[in-house]
Amino acid sequence: MTSVATGADLQGLEQELLASIAAAGDLAAIEQARIAVLGKKGRIAELMQTLGTLPAEQRKGFGQSVNEIKARVSEALEARKASLEGDALSQRLVNERADVTLPVRPGAVADGRIHPVSQVYDECVEIFADMGFAVAEGPDIETDDLNFTKLNIPPEHPARQEHDTFYFRPKEDGSRLVLRTHTSPVQIRTMLAQKPPIRIIAPGRVYRSDSDQTHTPMFHQIEGLVIDETTHMGHLKWVLEEFCKAFFEVDEVKMRFRASHFPFTEPSMEVDIGAEAIGKPGQWLEILGCGMVHPNVLRNCGLDPEKYQGFAFGMGLDRIAMLKYGLTDLRAFFSGDLRWLRHYGFSVLDVPTLSGGLSG
Ligand code: 2U9
């Protein structure tokens, strides 16, 4: 027969349970104590099981006493647990303290350098993202159709020669792949895939079979495209002016728009900036080309030129990196010379932001 606890026993049991809780030295021990006391097979449950063996007139009082003990013991458990958690946190705060004023430890983070092209790429993305442009990317190997034909450059167009294209061997059906000669196929892909409004920039590598002090077979462009129903040349001028001020980190910039010609824009312009922006007063520097997207290009992408219109622009990332940071030989950009990178590269920790300064 199960023995039945008396009032004195209950008091002793409570003391014992409270002592076991007080003795728990860490969070694992307190969990063990909780299971031993309050668990399904714990001491309180064990006591409750004896209830049925008591004479009816004692059951109510006994049950009440056990419940009171349970409440007090639970409270003690919670209090002990909270105190141990506090201790554990204090211990972590002591052990994991970091002195953020210490210099960066020697090693990759301190020694590594961001290439000027990567730096300028990030600066441009930051500036255009702030104006609401999304970044679009596409493959380096393109079809002839997306790189040329859809951009209003049909097979026998003279602009194809100017692009010094790297062609792949033609396929059986006569079609051939190319290394993209500009990032414009990225905008074509975007127009084919989504309806206006479109507001994107397309930064990336491009390839032309050309090499001297200012040309390398691989270089970088950033192009932009805005298409909706109302965008006009005023918007184009504003975007480019805001870009130039932000990029060259100056309050004012002189700009000159010269009439030009590209197959994919009409009208087309080349843009010069007053070289005051880079500390060379009196000169003009060509920095980009732009225009309103040609109706044929819109049509080639399934857009009705009577309904949709917009602008596009393109510039050489390497070229604007050279202008901003005073670099003279484009070939050095891609020669992998660590001394050059240590000299002209940027700290990994100086991430370009508009609020914190683009170039640190
Ligand atoms: C679409 C429609 C139009 C992109 C444009 C230029 C003018 C331009 C050059 C700048 C220096 C290339 O790197 S560079 O040699 N680019 O002058 N690019 S308008 O026009 C587009 C692009 C895509 C669908």
Side-chain angles (χ1 to χ4, degrees), residues 145-166:
D145 180 55
L146 292 167
N147 192 80
F148 291 120
T149 315
K150 287 237 175 351
L151 282 151
N152 201 31
I153 314 175
E156 302 314 321
H157 197 288
R160 292 214 178 192
Q161 267 94 63
E162 288 157 32
H163 278 232
D164 301 311
T165 313
F166 286 112

Side-chain angles (χ1 to χ4, degrees), residues 308-320:
Y308 295 110
Q309 60 184 46
F311 64 75
F313 58 86
M315 60 192 148
L317 268 180
D318 317 272
R319 179 170 161 74
I320 62 170

Side-chain angles (χ1 to χ4, degrees), residues 150-151 163 181-189 191 206 208 215 219-225 227 260-265 268-270 286-294 297-298 301 311-319:
K150 287 237 175 351
L151 282 151
H163 278 232
T181 59
H182 44 193
T183 59
S184 314
V186 176
Q187 288 102 292
I188 295 289
R189 285 171 178 275
M191 285 198 281
V206 300
R208 293 186 191 184
H215 297 90
F219 62 105
H220 301 82
Q221 282 187 341
I222 181 164
E223 292 196 343
L225 177 74
I227 303 285
S260 184
H261 177 267
F262 307 110
F264 29 76
T265 47
S268 303
M269 290 150 286
E270 281 174 296
E286 182 183 329
I287 67 154
L288 59 90
C290 61
M292 299 304 291
V293 176
H294 198 291
V297 175
L298 295 170
C301 296
F311 64 75
F313 58 86
M315 60 192 148
L317 268 180
D318 317 272
R319 179 170 161 74

